[in-house]
Amino acid sequence: MHIAASLIGEAGVAAEKVCIVDPAARLLDRWRSCTDTTGMTHLRSPSVHHLDIDPWSLQHFARKGKRRKRGLLVGQYGRPALTLFNSHCDKVVETFGLSELHIQDRAVTIRVECDGVRVELASGSELIARNLVLAIGAGDQPNWPEWAPQDHDCVHHIFEPGFDAWPTEPETVAVVGGGISSAQVSIRLVEEGHKVYLISRHSLREHIFDSDPGWLGPRNMHGFRRVRDFNRRRVLIDDARHRGSMPPGVRHAVRRAMMNKQLRWHEDVVESIDIQDNNLKLKLGTQEHLEVHRVLLATGFSSKRPGGALVDGLIASSSLPCAECGYPVVDTDLRWHPNVYVSGPLAELELGPVSRNIAGARRAATRLVDSLRTARA
């Protein structure tokens, strides 16, 4: 969405020459469903990270009319309330007419041709474009532990597509995961009256953001760009990310629930699951057993390259370069091919560890807009 808005609003691309291919009924559908599930109240990112063009747009939006109330922007960095952020996203959609550009379909095949790119859709129709941006996230590949069955009514990943497994009556629930999503889910369950076990491999790690703010500017990125070995870049990215962490406010809420004996936390691993008639029995690494009615996995997303067969086929047909980790090797304009650009996870070997989040989307849009302006000059 941000890239489309930037192409129209900054690069001067006519709106009728832009389309967004997304199978959901509305833009940002996965974002909204995932955040609804976790019970998120405020974003982790600061108020300058949003989907409009002007960095201060969200702050100005928060000050207008009936939206002037406490709690919309919190903390040192003005983290926005989810309701505010979503309303602001609706404004971006309206301002740039993005709903009219939304093609509700799924791309299944991409072929690079002499003067552009041909995209075959699941419906059987085709799109022919001069340029293509692959803005594919990791949302379709939730990370399932080996011990967890994927076909049981009471074992679910909170980020599986179409998730609809929230308990509707008081239950004992095991939440597996050690990051912000597992903590938010646990807090929501506690507030709704469920008995909760939170199981994480490690301690409750506290970090304000999911990577150091130095990665947003030259302090860390200058050295990153000087590294030409993509294997080394992969190590730097993996080391920089605070996977399995949560900001102070969320961690405090978990601790408070533990002190009130509403939540039990186990720093442990699940070795196996025994499926019984009405209960599930989890065996932990310490040999302790927990009997629960439901297991909710908040174990994040797979680290493998997103895009599945779609991207695999494009790589094979066009001989596109990849690093040993499987991720694209692109130029500074995020160009993987003269007509194919990338953003999000696919751009992380160029953009660094922030590539997957909102700040990364903004950085990708800046590169793409600059590339178009240079080409026209």
Side-chain angles (χ1 to χ4, degrees):
M1 270 184 55
H2 176 67
I3 288 173
S6 297
L7 290 173
I8 297 167
E10 285 196 304
V13 178
E16 62 267 20
K17 293 188 176 182
V18 178
C19 67
I20 304 172
V21 178
D22 187 301
R26 60 174 178 169
L27 297 173
L28 292 185
D29 185 73
R30 283 288 284 151
W31 161 262
R32 293 179 189 270
S33 63
C34 289
T35 53
D36 284 348
T37 296
T38 61
M40 177 193 295
T41 61
H42 290 78
L43 273 69
R44 191 174 192 174
S45 54
S47 58
V48 292
H49 296 167
H50 51 76
L51 305 192
D52 205 352
I53 297 173
D54 177 7
W56 307 111
S57 172
L58 180 58
Q59 292 190 18
H60 296 324
F61 184 75
R63 298 190 187 108
K64 290 183 178 179
K66 297 180 181 179
R67 290 183 293 275
R68 296 180 185 175
K69 58 183 181 180
R70 295 175 62 87
L72 290 182
L73 299 172
V74 300
Q76 176 184 357
Y77 298 96
R79 295 184 298 107
L82 178 62
T83 52
L84 172 68
F85 183 85
N86 286 344
S87 295
H88 185 252
C89 289
D90 292 338
K91 172 183 172 291
V92 175
V93 170
E94 180 182 359
T95 299
F96 296 98
L98 299 185
S99 291
E100 288 71 33
L101 312 181
H102 178 197
I103 297 176
Q104 188 182 334
D105 211 332
R106 182 180 294 276
V108 293
T109 304
I110 300 171
R111 295 195 302 276
V112 175
E113 300 182 342
C114 295
D115 57 350
V117 183
R118 184 181 297 270
V119 181
E120 180 181 338
L121 305 179
S123 62
S125 59
E126 290 185 334
L127 297 173
I128 299 176
R130 176 69 61 85
N131 295 300
L132 172 74
V133 180
L134 289 170
I136 302 172
D140 287 340
Q141 48 189 47
N143 183 40
W144 283 78
E146 291 185 4
W147 56 264
Q150 298 189 31
D151 57 354
H152 192 277
D153 289 342
C154 293
V155 180
H156 289 271
H157 198 292
I158 62 168
F159 294 141
E160 65 189 48
F163 174 82
D164 186 25
W166 198 261
T168 55
E169 56 185 37
E171 291 184 355
T172 301
V173 184
V175 178
V176 181
I180 184 173
S181 295
S182 64
Q184 290 171 330
V185 166
S186 297
I187 294 166
R188 179 185 168 189
L189 287 165
V190 165
E191 290 176 346
E192 294 181 7
H194 304 285
K195 180 179 179 181
V196 181
Y197 296 108
L198 173 60
I199 307 168
S200 62
R201 290 174 171 268
H202 50 73
S203 61
L204 301 180
R205 300 169 180 164
E206 182 178 308
H207 292 282
I208 297 177
F209 303 121
D210 50 14
S211 62
D212 188 277
W215 288 103
L216 293 171
R219 190 176 76 191
N220 291 347
M221 285 303 298
H222 179 71
F224 181 82
R225 293 193 193 99
R226 294 176 62 184
V227 175
R228 305 314 306 164
D229 182 344
F230 291 105
N231 292 330
R232 177 59 184 158
R233 285 195 179 191
R234 169 56 58 201
V235 172
L236 290 172
I237 291 168
D238 292 345
D239 288 347
R241 288 203 178 106
H242 301 316
R243 290 176 62 90
S245 67
M246 61 192 75
V250 175
R251 185 172 182 266
H252 293 162
V254 171
R255 290 290 189 187
R256 186 164 55 249
M258 291 166 56
M259 290 177 60
N260 293 335
K261 298 183 179 180
Q262 298 169 301
L263 180 153
R264 287 185 57 188
W265 169 55
H266 295 263
E267 185 177 349
D268 211 334
V269 296
V270 179
E271 287 194 346
S272 63
I273 183 170
D274 181 16
I275 300 175
Q276 302 174 347
D277 291 337
N278 297 315
N279 291 308
L280 306 171
K281 181 178 288 188
L282 300 178
K283 179 183 178 183
L284 306 184
T286 55
Q287 304 306 303
E288 184 176 0
H289 290 81
L290 303 178
E291 288 194 14
V292 300
H293 299 111
R294 187 179 303 266
V295 174
L296 296 181
L297 302 171
T299 46
F301 302 98
S302 171
S303 60
K304 68 180 181 180
R305 182 187 66 224
L310 177 71
V311 174
D312 293 342
L314 176 61
I315 292 170
S317 64
S318 302
S319 301
L320 300 182
C322 295
E324 286 186 18
C325 60
Y327 279 69
V329 173
V330 301
D331 65 15
T332 55
D333 292 330
L334 306 183
R335 191 168 14 221
W336 201 7
H337 176 276
N339 303 103
V340 178
Y341 298 80
V342 298
S343 70
L346 295 177
E348 63 187 15
L349 289 178
E350 176 60 30
L351 294 182
V354 304
S355 184
R356 294 177 179 239
N357 57 29
I358 301 171
R362 299 186 66 83
R363 182 172 290 177
T366 298
R367 299 272 189 111
L368 295 176
V369 169
D370 289 346
S371 176
L372 281 176
R373 287 173 173 169
T374 301
R376 291 170 178 168

